[in-house]
Amino acid sequence: MGVDIRVENLNAWYGPVHTLHDVNLHIPANHATALIGPSGCGKSTFVRCLNRMHETNPAARAEGKVLMGELDIYKDATPVEIRRRVGMVFQRPNPFPTMSIYDNVASGLKLNGFRKKRVLDEVVERSLRQAALWDEVKDDLKKKSGASISGGQQQRLCIARALAVDPEVLLMDEPASALDPVSTAKIEDLIFKLKSQYTIVIVTHNMQQAARVAENTGFFLMGKLVEFAATTKIFTNPSDKRTEDYITGRFG
Amino acid sequence: MSALPVRSRYVASFVTLRRSVTNNLVTGVAIVSTALVLVPLVAILGYLLYKGASSLNLAFFTHVPVPVGDPGGGMANAIVGSAAILGLASLLGIPLGIGAGVYLAEYARGTWMGAAVRFTADVLNGVPSIVMGLAAYSLIVAKQQHFSGLAGGVALAIMMVPTVARTTEEMLATVPNPIREAALGLGIPKWRTVLSVSLRTASPGIITGCMLAFARVAGETAPLLFTAFGNQFWSFDLNQPIAALPLQIYVYALSPYDEWHRLAWAGALVLIVMIMASVTLVRIFANRGALKGGH
Ligand SMILES: Nc1ncnc2c1ncn2[C@@H]1O[C@H](COP(=O)(O)OP(=O)(O)OP(=O)(O)O)[C@@H](O)[C@H]1O
Ligand SMILES: [Mg+2]
């Protein structure tokens, strides 16, 4: 089951550069939430703060509160615990090149010490089916490297890999930016199906996509969350002038 | 092309011509350089074969050296001794070197400590091999009051560490960061990410580095002179003086006897074939599990 996320006064830096300014927001459980905004406005930085990936960069720093349900992720848990519960699909596909397709999907379980073959087989098939990749790779599962398939297939592989560990929250940073329209539609279907069980946060440059999959949408601009509201409201009747300018294509 | 005006067609064909000339030139230079590298290698091998092969027989691989004047004899003990010393050196040097490389690449990036370790490794790399022998002599031989294969193995291990450490570091640096992030993002602990993702992705290069280090120390004589010392008889005890091919070759080559000179050539041939065989074996072994379309 998904869990809600409450962000309070979140600030983030890369070295001296202040990238996120006082972000406050409530992401409801078992819904899809879209984040939009021009390039460089801090969307990736924001989602990376939600699973504590931001701090893997030695120069980076974050301050503020992120509550996952009751859990303060920066106080009450280790990064490793948080990342097991908050899965992530990155902006660019990053399969493990030395592992087979099967091992890529199973990696989250295997590398955490889980070894039961029968369960792994099941999880791999289920996750690949969820990511709409099963039919294309089922004959090469253990023969082909994760890096040997097409970019779009790689991205779906990365989604399957994230799903295999059964997270409660799924962060997707422009998951469809490298995909063709057919694969994109598959991913959107997937998000639609998944959001009854997971809390999904999806960063996207594609406003139609946000409108199609997400109940709520947040608009970021220069490191600030300008507006956060129901997706229909953001796209039809935004309260902030800057949001309106952005969605009508007047800048960004 | 045919639709272009005459002038630009002329320019276009000139550009095409220049490109193809440049292309052929660069290809030619590459081929010539390859040949220049291969010629001495093949020449050395050929000369070794010519000088050494005639003295190779079964006895060479099964018998220990005999006194001057006696016919026959071989280097069986030196072959085994070399294998033992090199095995020990690899067992000590490779894990240590890889460990240091991992520390440099994954934990100490940009730190003061990392810079110090890196600098030390580079200096160590430039230290003459005889000095390594002296170090092992004063560390082990002088303390134990006797020569030993162990001391020889340690001397060679110390020589392997900097090469292995620096190649490991450089190979790990070529592993794209998003791949590490993928592992960390799945909630895989850092140590596990380093072992199963970073090291595994970089392993072809790291194996090459280890093989280079191995091949380099396999032919070393100086560090063994006052550590392993050499032995005319069978010995399987690493705590005792032990024979080694480079030592045996050294002794035989400097002797005034023709028979011993021939054996020295044969020994050199065996040494180089042994090195090539181990490198090839490791390559085959390392490639066994490779996947279609990996790298
Ligand atoms: N590793 C980094 N080191 C230093 N600065 C960074 C780093 N990553 C991002 N930044 C800076 O932080 C700001 C926000 O970047 P971020 O990647 O979060 O933007 P984004 O909204 O995801 O953009 P895009 O839509 O192009 O992916 C940018 O100004 C960027 O230059
Ligand atoms: Mg981004």
Side-chain angles (χ1 to χ4, degrees), chain B residues 23-130:
Chain B
N23 186 34
N24 289 338
L25 203 74
V26 172
T27 314
V29 168
I31 292 173
V32 169
S33 323
T34 312
L36 280 180
V37 172
L38 281 176
V39 163
L41 194 75
V42 172
I44 290 174
L45 253 179
Y47 195 64
L48 269 179
L49 268 172
Y50 164 69
K51 292 290 250 182
S54 57
S55 307
L56 278 183
N57 50 28
L58 188 64
F60 187 90
F61 297 97
T62 52
H63 289 207
V64 299
V66 293
V68 197
D70 291 5
M75 293 197 185
N77 60 337
I79 294 175
V80 172
S82 265
I85 294 173
L86 287 172
L88 178 68
S90 304
L91 227 58
L92 295 173
I94 289 178
L96 234 117
I98 291 182
V102 165
Y103 171 73
L104 286 175
E106 304 275 340
Y107 294 94
R109 191 124 289 210
T111 65
W112 179 87
M113 194 54 190
V117 172
R118 194 172 298 117
F119 179 75
T120 313
D122 288 344
V123 171
L124 210 57
N125 224 347
V127 172
S129 57
I130 192 141

Side-chain angles (χ1 to χ4, degrees), chain A residues 48 53 56 80 83-84 86 90 94-100 107-108 111-112 142-145 147-148 161-162 165, chain B residues 178-190 192-193 196-197 200-204 290-295:
Chain A
R48 289 168 63 90
M53 281 304 290
T56 58
V80 168
R83 293 175 201 147
R84 280 183 199 170
V86 184
F90 294 80
N94 52 359
F96 301 124
T98 49
M99 292 186 200
S100 66
S107 55
L111 296 186
N112 274 320
K142 298 198 177 170
K143 278 181 282 180
K144 272 195 180 170
S145 144
S148 70
R161 181 176 65 187
V165 292
Chain B
I179 291 179
R180 281 186 195 92
E181 292 196 333
L184 295 174
L186 288 167
I188 296 164
K190 168 125 187 192
R192 189 81 227 202
T193 302
S196 303
V197 176
R200 195 166 147 193
T201 309
S203 64
L291 292 158
K292 258 198 280 179
H295 54 210

Side-chain angles (χ1 to χ4, degrees), chain A residues 14 19 37-46 57 91 173-174 205:
Chain A
Y14 286 104
T19 316
S39 191
C41 66
K43 307 179 295 295
S44 294
T45 307
F46 175 73
N57 181 335
Q91 196 160 352
D173 194 351
E174 296 186 45
H205 277 291

